[in-house]
Amino acid sequence: MPMADVGDTAFRVTALSWSVPADGRLSWVPPGRIGHDPQNLHLVEGEDRLLVIDTGLAVHLDAILAELGDRRAGRRIVIYLTRIEPECMLNLPALLDRLPDVEVATAVPLSPFDLVHLPHPDLARRVKVSHLAFGGTLEAVGFPLMRILRPPINTLSTSWLSDARSGALFTSDFFALDLAGHEGTPAIRCTAEDLPPRDVLRAGILHKFDWLPRARQEPIAAAWDATFRDLAPIALCPTHGRIAVGADVVARIVSDYRAAIFGASPN
Amino acid sequence: MNHRRQALPRQIAPGIVWMSTCLEVPIDGRPMHSHNNCYLFMGAERTLLLDNGHAAGWKTLRGELETVLDGRPLDYLFPTHPETPHMGNTGPLLDLFPQALIVGDVRNYHLYFPHAEARLRQLSPGDAIDLGGMHVETVEAVVHDLPNTLWAYERGSGLLCVSDAFPYIHEHDAGQCGLLAEELPAPPDAASAGWAISRALNWIRYVDPALVIADLDRLWQDYPVRMIGPSHGGVITDPVALSGFFAAGLRQAWNHAHG
């Protein structure tokens, strides 16, 4: 069972990361870019609940089950789904089946139980699913300071989460292009050293969001600026790719991405 | 007025069967449906299932598949892209047909189905699967959500399977699930297509529909398409007459986003 790289990201926020080779077999990594891609499971601790963002990869299922079993400390687990791609959802049936006292929340406008195979039909009746709205919070599932954001750039229905308590921003498949050079590289970076250059960022962004070059840039740039006008995250927590911790390095990364997409910031 | 009703599965060409695990999408209190189509290609020697629907439709899909296959094995699973409504039954299908391979753009699948890593076959646009007297050719998806999407073309029938392109909703209670677009009481319109497009293709808010339509026009030059098989709409057998609804739907979705 692969060991998780465990790191504290922010106040009462922990990342469990497992590295997979970026060897041409990851669709979100552009051809020719190689390295190791951390796959992250973010845990946010509440008083009586533990928020788990997405469900991780099937290849890491046993390790994820073991970690969650160790770390829940008697708390109810809330699984929040940011997207309906398999890397976010495919472990959901096993987590619901093998962990007691779990509920699900999402802003995706589809029933997650229509999309995955539950091992027992009664799980669909027993497990509570909360469909939450963009702009609202996760108060209904015990995390009132966690706000649901509509990303400025997304392909499928996707949500980000902004944690006012810790300053962490959970960005699903965005800010996800920082590969580790080798397998032992920590999943969390605290400095701007060796950040991917802007041309590498642009190639990676356009690789997944390939409609962007043909899109009207002004409304997207406006949405981007509106998103970050009132946000000053101190941690960027994507579902894959290295996690960034520290206000300065996060600000640099946000600025680099903006420049890679739209050109230099108007500020 | 009596309108035709048609259930699925339905043979749409020799050796090609259309199935769907429709998804209910209530709109203004009406029980509308969005297709989640799968296409079964049965060559003389091998069989291929293009897309495999979402998990809630598994019981239906399994029954229909076993009936249509009538004892033949399923040799290939070809999910057009890794989004759960298109590949949500891959796991149980791998179990049910233990010799079946997953083909297409199978990047990431070793992480989703690690026990099936040896059963993955990566294809690129232009590659073809020989089923015996029938070839399913992979085509670059000129309209898609996830960029790792492939379309498929079968030259004998002229069927182009277009995944998330050409979607429209239909009325389940009126028995429209298995009707060709040409058999509907009224052809799909901009409103029906626009509703589906705005949900399936989020980026259309930002991209001029004329660019997308031009891409499709170029594709028609390379592929003599006699049938269009969408994932989220009924099969279209008169592309010249009916494919215009997609362009109208793109414009409607664009206009809606721009007030």
Side-chain angles (χ1 to χ4, degrees), chain A residues 20-21 23-29 31 39 57-60 84-87 89-90 110 113-118 150-157 207-212 214-217 219-220 223, chain B residues 23 25 54-58 81-85 87-90 92 105-114 117 142 144-148 200-203 205-208 211-212 214-215 218 254 258:
Chain A
V20 300
D23 55 2
R25 293 187 298 164
L26 303 180
S27 69
W28 51 81
V29 178
Q39 308 297 308
L57 290 168
V59 71
H60 303 134
I84 60 168
E85 287 173 75
E87 60 265 29
M89 290 199 73
L90 280 193
L110 294 171
F113 296 159
D114 281 346
L115 303 175
V116 294
H117 280 266
L118 297 177
R150 192 183 295 280
I153 296 171
N154 63 295
T155 293
L156 299 175
S157 178
H207 181 68
K208 173 144 191 181
F209 305 97
D210 64 341
W211 48 269
L212 259 175
R214 309 174 90 183
R216 289 181 60 216
Q217 304 294 296
I220 306 171
Chain B
L23 199 61
V25 284
H54 65 302
W58 169 240
H81 59 291
E83 185 192 7
T84 42
M87 46 73 78
N89 292 307
T90 300
D105 189 337
V106 295
R107 289 175 294 172
N108 317 335
Y109 277 78
H110 61 299
L111 306 173
Y112 305 152
F113 302 102
E117 187 169 351
V142 299
H144 54 255
D145 51 21
L146 297 178
N148 47 332
L201 302 169
N202 183 58
W203 47 261
R205 290 177 289 162
Y206 300 122
V207 178
D208 184 345
L211 299 172
V212 182
D215 286 344
R218 279 191 289 277
W254 165 269
H258 294 269

Side-chain angles (χ1 to χ4, degrees), chain A residues 13-35:
Chain A
V13 180
T14 303
L16 310 177
S17 303
W18 292 266
S19 184
V20 300
D23 55 2
R25 293 187 298 164
L26 303 180
S27 69
W28 51 81
V29 178
R33 237 193 128 194
I34 57 170

Side-chain angles (χ1 to χ4, degrees), chain B:
Chain B
M1 183 189 296
N2 285 326
H3 288 300
R4 181 172 175 181
R5 303 172 72 91
Q6 175 72 49
L8 294 172
R10 179 174 183 179
Q11 180 166 303
I12 53 173
I16 304 177
V17 177
W18 168 26
M19 294 181 272
S20 177
T21 62
C22 287
L23 199 61
E24 195 170 308
V25 284
I27 299 175
D28 299 331
R30 296 161 65 204
M32 303 300 286
H33 263 194
S34 171
H35 283 104
N36 249 348
N37 292 334
C38 321
Y39 297 94
L40 178 65
F41 296 81
M42 295 188 292
E45 295 163 19
R46 285 168 291 277
T47 60
L48 178 149
L49 184 65
L50 185 110
D51 278 340
N52 58 58
H54 65 302
W58 169 240
K59 192 175 170 187
T60 301
L61 176 66
R62 176 181 179 159
E64 293 178 353
L65 198 53
E66 289 181 328
T67 299
V68 175
L69 284 170
D70 193 22
R72 289 186 66 177
L74 183 63
D75 297 294
Y76 300 107
L77 304 174
F78 181 168
T80 56
H81 59 291
E83 185 192 7
T84 42
H86 295 264
M87 46 73 78
N89 292 307
T90 300
L93 283 165
L94 288 171
D95 293 339
L96 189 62
F97 299 101
Q99 80 294 345
L101 303 177
I102 308 179
V103 300
D105 189 337
V106 295
R107 289 175 294 172
N108 317 335
Y109 277 78
H110 61 299
L111 306 173
Y112 305 152
F113 302 102
H115 62 288
E117 187 169 351
R119 297 164 69 181
L120 306 177
R121 300 289 183 273
Q122 177 73 23
L123 300 179
S124 300
D127 290 342
I129 298 282
D130 180 0
L131 303 178
M134 177 186 279
H135 291 78
V136 175
E137 182 179 337
T138 57
V139 177
E140 181 179 357
V142 299
V143 180
H144 54 255
D145 51 21
L146 297 178
N148 47 332
T149 300
L150 285 174
W151 288 0
Y153 180 68
E154 199 283 310
R155 203 163 288 274
S157 61
L159 171 65
L160 180 68
C161 294
V162 294
S163 196
D164 284 322
F166 294 90
Y168 65 87
I169 52 176
H170 64 276
E171 291 193 48
H172 170 68
D173 284 352
Q176 295 177 354
C177 296
L179 291 183
L180 305 171
E182 294 77 11
E183 295 170 338
L184 293 167
D189 59 14
S192 169
W195 188 94
I197 288 167
S198 63
R199 281 149 185 83
L201 302 169
N202 183 58
W203 47 261
I204 196 58
R205 290 177 289 162
Y206 300 122
V207 178
D208 184 345
L211 299 172
V212 182
I213 294 162
D215 286 344
L216 284 167
D217 287 343
R218 279 191 289 277
L219 186 77
W220 304 144
Q221 310 297 317
D222 297 333
Y223 292 90
V225 175
R226 299 197 294 279
M227 284 193 290
I228 297 174
S231 290
H232 305 304
V235 172
I236 299 160
T237 57
D238 188 351
V240 174
L242 275 191
S243 61
F245 82 84
F246 183 56
L250 289 170
R251 290 190 200 99
Q252 164 123 348
W254 165 269
N255 290 336
H256 181 73
H258 294 269

Side-chain angles (χ1 to χ4, degrees), chain A residues 55-91:
Chain A
T55 69
L57 290 168
V59 71
H60 303 134
L61 174 61
D62 289 342
I64 290 169
L65 283 166
E67 290 284 353
L68 293 181
D70 289 346
R71 292 173 182 278
R72 69 180 308 170
R75 291 172 290 199
R76 183 177 184 79
I77 289 178
V78 179
I79 296 173
Y80 184 85
L81 302 170
T82 64
R83 286 175 284 132
I84 60 168
E85 287 173 75
E87 60 265 29
C88 303
M89 290 199 73
L90 280 193
N91 281 342

